[in-house]
């Protein structure tokens, strides 16, 4: 019992530490009927009984995806009725028709509802019951999927949300603490049956991966949270300095930005260059829903180090990096300055649609099992490990690998002569070169089967030329 009392006290202190200077804070509690949020509700109820200036309402979303949804809604509404708490419940009707990405769609609906309730009640805070086990799972999932370094700091205790804040006062508590409180204080809740379904990555991490790691070291969770705190501190100290360098070197330019490479290179070490560019992409692109990978930042830097004075790297199908001698432009595809694309090279690091000029287009698509591939002169596959691909015109000394076993080479010049390709056309044909500088295709003319190891991760390249009707 004394332990539970101290949990209650710690909880209240945590909530107060997360508030702005409010005289009468209003909260929206996100309650799902699971043990975490039912304990959150019970603790808030106790806190409000002691502190009359605290007001709160409950927001609940019935996703209608499980049989027990009805029972969950009843549990939450019974509690609220018995304690005279205002409940804002809604149903998600579209859920049954969503085929892919259902978790994300449900989350978006949930957070939209929280925002509506906040606005309606003029509440400044929405409160969720995320705890430290959720935090460990979130960080591990980010590590597995690959993410920005800053994402490994996990979920913050407080962040901006709608016109106020989202706060998570349970992040310092473990699931065991919460269960123990519920048991001792007789808090009613319903176990979510989908927590056992291994189709969800979060459940696999919780039920399979974490127990395996904990066998190696039972302290693993604490260690991971410790790393994450250290990272958080480091970034907090570092970010203002990075921001200063960003402002100094990355200048707004037309519909994008430009970096003058001479100054950049003279004043910044390679590590600084990587940090500043990664930070810039995170600030400017993450909010637009565009995630620029570390690999793309590295390609940008090596492009500026290379002997190609003019080249383009496609970041996404809408944004590109363009090198023009000592300047690096970060700009929208098709912006005025880059219309002379045929003079340059295109470096493709990610799948997407790429427009080479008014007639020629290239689609680079990730191969899925359901994709029917018809290979031909205009369509071929490469392995993901061959990325980035360079799309360019011929250079002197270009060699083609025309035989695999034994490997046989022929100069491109000789090949053009043998195929009787007129001279004026030779400069217009696009070559596709892989990261090992092997030419894998002459678009519309020939593809080359190189002896590459089998991989499941494949990329399909499709070329279209609207000027050619043969
Ligand atoms: N149906 C719901 N209605 C109201 N609040 C909910 C609902 N589902 C979840 N929540 C709130 O969100 C918290 C986290 O829930 P859960 O772990 O299921 O979410 P998640 O899938 O990890 O996604 P996210 O963290 O983005 O909400 C819960 O503790 C609760 O506060």
């Amino acid at each position: 019992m004394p332990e539970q009392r101290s949990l209650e006290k710690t909880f209240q202190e945590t909530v107060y530490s997360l508030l702005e200077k409010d005289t009468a804070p209003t909260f929206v509690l996100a309650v799902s009927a699971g043990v975490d949020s039912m304990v959150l509700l019970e603790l808030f109820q106790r806190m409000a009984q002691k502190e009359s200036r605290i007001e709160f309402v409950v927001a609940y979303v019935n996703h209608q995806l499980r049989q027990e949804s009805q029972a969950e809604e009843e549990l939450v509404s019974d509690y609220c009725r018995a304690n005279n708490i205002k409940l804002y419940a809604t149903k998600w009707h579209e859920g049954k028709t969503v085929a892919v990405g259902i978790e994300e769609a449900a989350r978006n609906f949930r957070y939209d509802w929280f925002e509506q309730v906040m606005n309606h009640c003029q509440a400044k805070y929405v409160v969720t019951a995320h705890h430290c086990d959720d935090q460990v799972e979130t960080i591990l999932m980010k590590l597995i999927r690959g993410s920005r370094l800053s994402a490994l700091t996990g979920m913050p205790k407080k962040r901006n949300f709608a016109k106020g804040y989202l706060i998570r006062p349970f992040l310092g508590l473990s699931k065991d603490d919460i269960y123990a409180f519920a048991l001792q204080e007789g808090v009613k809740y319903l176990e979510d049956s989908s927590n056992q379904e291994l189709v969800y990555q979060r459940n696999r991490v919780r039920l399979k991966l974490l127990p395996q790691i904990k066998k190696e070291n039972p302290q693993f969770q604490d260690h991971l949270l410790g790393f994450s705190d250290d990272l958080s501190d480091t970034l907090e100290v570092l970010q203002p300095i990075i921001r200063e360098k960003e402002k100094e070197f990355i200048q707004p330019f037309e519909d994008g930005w430009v970096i003058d490479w001479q100054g950049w290179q003279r004043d910044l070490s390679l590590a600084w260059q990587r940090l500043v560019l990664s930070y810039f992409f995170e600030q400017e692109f993450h909010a637009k829903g565009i995630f620029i990978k570390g690999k793309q930042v590295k390609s940008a830097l090596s492009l500026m180090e290379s002997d190609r004075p003019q080249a383009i790297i496609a970041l996404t199908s809408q944004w590109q990096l363009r090198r023009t001698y000592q300047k690096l432009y970060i700009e929208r595809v098709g912006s005025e300055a880059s219309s002379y694309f045929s003079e340059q090279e295109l470096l493709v690091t990610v799948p997407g649609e790429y427009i080479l000029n008014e007639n020629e287009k290239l689609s680079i698509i990730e191969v899925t099992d359901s994709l029917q591939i018809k290979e031909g002169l205009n369509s071929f596959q490469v392995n993901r490990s061959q990325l980035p691909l360079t799309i360019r015109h011929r250079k002197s000394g270009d060699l083609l690998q025309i035989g695999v076993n034994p490997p046989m080479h022929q100069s491109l010049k000789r090949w053009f002569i043998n195929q009787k390709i007129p001279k004026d056309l030779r400069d217009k044909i696009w070559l596709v070169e892989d990261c090992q500088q092997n030419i894998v295709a002459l678009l519309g003319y020939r593809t080359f089967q190189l002896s590459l190891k089998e991989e499941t991760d494949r990329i399909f390249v499709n070329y279209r030329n609207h000027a050619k009707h043969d």
Side-chain angles (χ1 to χ4, degrees):
M1 198 57 134
E3 234 180 54
Q4 301 309 356
R5 237 182 258 124
S6 84
L7 183 141
E8 213 177 311
K9 196 161 170 273
T10 319
F11 171 75
Q12 292 181 8
E13 283 165 9
T14 310
V15 171
Y16 284 119
S17 74
L18 295 172
L19 303 185
E20 303 290 291
K21 287 191 182 73
D22 303 288
T23 43
T26 304
F27 300 87
V28 174
L29 304 194
V31 177
S32 68
V35 63
D36 314 326
S37 52
M38 288 308 289
V39 168
L40 178 79
L41 178 54
E42 174 68 25
L43 286 170
F44 250 90
Q45 170 66 7
R46 293 184 186 193
M47 187 162 73
Q49 274 168 354
K50 280 190 210 143
E51 269 284 359
S52 59
R53 69 189 183 103
I54 285 185
E55 281 189 33
F56 71 94
V57 300
V58 167
Y60 167 77
V61 176
N62 183 342
H63 291 298
Q64 306 194 100
L65 297 173
R66 299 190 298 267
Q67 279 183 341
E68 57 271 34
S69 290
Q70 198 48 39
E72 287 168 355
E73 184 162 351
E74 277 164 23
L75 179 72
V76 178
S77 69
D78 286 350
Y79 185 102
C80 290
R81 205 175 310 113
N83 292 286
N84 213 6
I85 301 165
K86 184 110 185 90
L87 168 67
Y88 291 88
T90 188
K91 285 191 168 51
W92 189 40
H93 296 290
E94 297 80 39
K96 291 172 197 134
T97 56
V98 176
V100 282
I102 192 150
E103 273 182 283
E104 197 184 332
R107 181 179 298 123
N108 289 341
F109 185 85
R110 218 161 44 232
Y111 282 84
D112 276 353
W113 181 242
F114 300 159
E115 184 172 347
Q116 284 180 45
V117 178
M118 268 176 102
N119 289 340
H120 179 79
C121 304
Q122 297 194 326
K124 202 183 230 171
Y125 305 94
V126 60
V127 193
T128 61
H130 291 103
H131 47 77
C132 81
D133 294 50
D134 288 331
Q135 182 75 303
V136 169
E137 288 160 21
T138 302
I139 298 173
L140 267 179
M141 279 162 64
K142 297 252 162 82
L143 269 172
I144 293 167
R145 288 179 188 165
S147 190
R148 299 156 296 125
L149 184 65
S150 61
L152 303 182
T153 55
M155 299 176 269
K157 275 194 174 151
K158 178 177 181 179
R159 72 164 167 88
N160 292 333
F161 178 77
K163 289 183 190 134
Y165 301 91
L166 171 86
I167 61 169
R168 300 180 172 107
F170 273 4
L171 279 184
L173 295 181
S174 69
K175 185 92 184 176
D176 287 345
D177 295 333
I178 295 171
Y179 270 131
F181 182 90
L183 190 70
Q184 191 138 5
E185 303 295 303
V187 178
K188 284 196 194 134
Y189 61 89
L190 283 168
E191 208 64 77
D192 175 352
S193 64
S194 68
N195 281 346
Q196 302 303 319
E197 288 173 17
L198 292 179
V199 285
Y200 300 118
Q201 188 186 41
R202 184 177 284 280
N203 295 349
R204 290 196 300 274
V205 167
R206 181 189 314 131
L207 302 172
K208 295 193 127 187
L209 190 63
L210 265 168
Q212 199 66 31
I213 303 178
K214 279 198 222 157
K215 271 192 201 155
E216 294 293 330
N217 187 347
Q219 303 301 315
F220 172 72
Q221 299 216 18
D222 291 344
H223 293 169
L224 192 71
L225 292 172
F227 289 139
S228 152
D229 285 347
D230 287 350
L231 180 62
S232 218
D233 294 344
T234 311
L235 289 181
E236 195 180 315
V237 173
L238 206 55
Q239 267 168 359
I241 319 172
I242 302 179
R243 201 172 304 134
E244 250 172 51
K245 302 240 185 257
E246 182 207 339
K247 275 202 195 120
E248 186 180 342
F249 290 103
I250 308 183
Q251 304 293 333
F253 178 78
E254 293 180 357
D255 195 13
W257 298 265
V258 61
I259 304 177
D260 184 340
W261 212 255
Q262 263 164 351
W264 166 274
Q265 212 176 23
R266 184 189 58 231
D267 294 350
L268 300 180
S269 69
L270 207 55
W272 268 116
Q273 294 181 21
R274 273 203 297 268
L275 273 176
V276 176
L277 214 48
S278 304
Y279 178 82
F280 163 80
F281 283 130
E282 191 175 329
Q283 294 300 305
E284 296 294 338
F285 284 71
H286 188 204
K288 297 184 175 84
I290 302 171
F291 300 95
I292 306 293
K293 300 192 174 113
K295 214 167 151 188
Q296 291 173 289
V297 171
K298 282 193 186 144
S299 318
L301 297 176
S302 52
L303 169 71
M304 295 309 287
E305 297 301 319
S306 76
D307 54 6
R308 304 170 183 149
Q310 299 199 77
I312 285 180
I313 295 182
L315 287 173
T316 68
S317 52
Q318 278 149 31
W319 285 90
Q320 66 186 20
L321 300 175
R322 180 169 56 91
R323 174 180 180 181
T324 303
Y325 297 93
Q326 288 306 306
K327 291 232 169 24
L328 180 68
Y329 296 91
I330 302 159
E331 63 190 10
R332 276 187 194 280
V333 172
S335 70
E336 200 63 32
S338 64
S339 54
Y340 297 107
F341 179 64
S342 47
E343 298 302 315
Q344 304 173 3
E345 296 185 356
L346 172 73
L347 202 73
V348 171
T349 55
V350 284
E353 283 281 319
Y354 299 101
I355 299 166
L356 302 176
N357 55 39
E358 63 272 20
N359 292 320
E360 294 173 283
K361 282 193 185 122
L362 209 57
S363 303
I364 309 226
I365 306 162
E366 267 170 288
V367 178
T368 58
D369 291 342
S370 58
L371 200 67
Q372 294 290 320
I373 307 285
K374 272 205 206 115
E375 295 209 45
L377 278 185
N378 294 329
S379 305
F380 57 97
Q381 292 184 58
V382 294
N383 291 337
R384 184 176 271 280
S385 58
Q386 286 175 271
L387 292 180
L389 299 176
T390 304
I391 323 295
R392 63 170 176 84
H393 294 303
R394 67 169 174 160
K395 286 198 291 224
S396 70
D398 274 335
L399 275 184
L400 301 176
Q401 186 178 336
I402 50 170
V404 175
N405 218 349
M408 288 202 321
H409 291 91
Q410 184 180 55
S411 77
L412 176 61
K413 190 171 171 192
R414 169 59 41 208
W415 189 85
F416 278 148
I417 295 168
N418 291 351
Q419 300 295 317
K420 303 193 172 50
I421 299 202
K423 269 193 172 156
D424 58 331
L425 202 59
R426 294 178 198 175
D427 287 331
K428 293 191 178 124
I429 295 174
W430 292 99
L431 319 182
V432 180
E433 190 180 73
D434 69 8
C435 61
Q436 307 278 340
Q437 293 176 337
N438 295 310
I439 294 173
V440 293
L442 298 169
L443 290 177
Y445 288 85
R446 170 121 198 220
T447 60
F448 299 91
Q449 293 300 319
L450 305 174
S451 58
L452 292 156
K453 72 173 167 41
E454 272 305 306
E455 262 187 43
T456 47
D457 234 4
R458 293 186 153 256
I459 302 286
F460 174 53
V461 183
N462 179 244
Y463 165 73
R464 280 160 317 215
N465 185 345
H466 298 300
K468 250 180 152 185
H469 296 291
D470 49 324

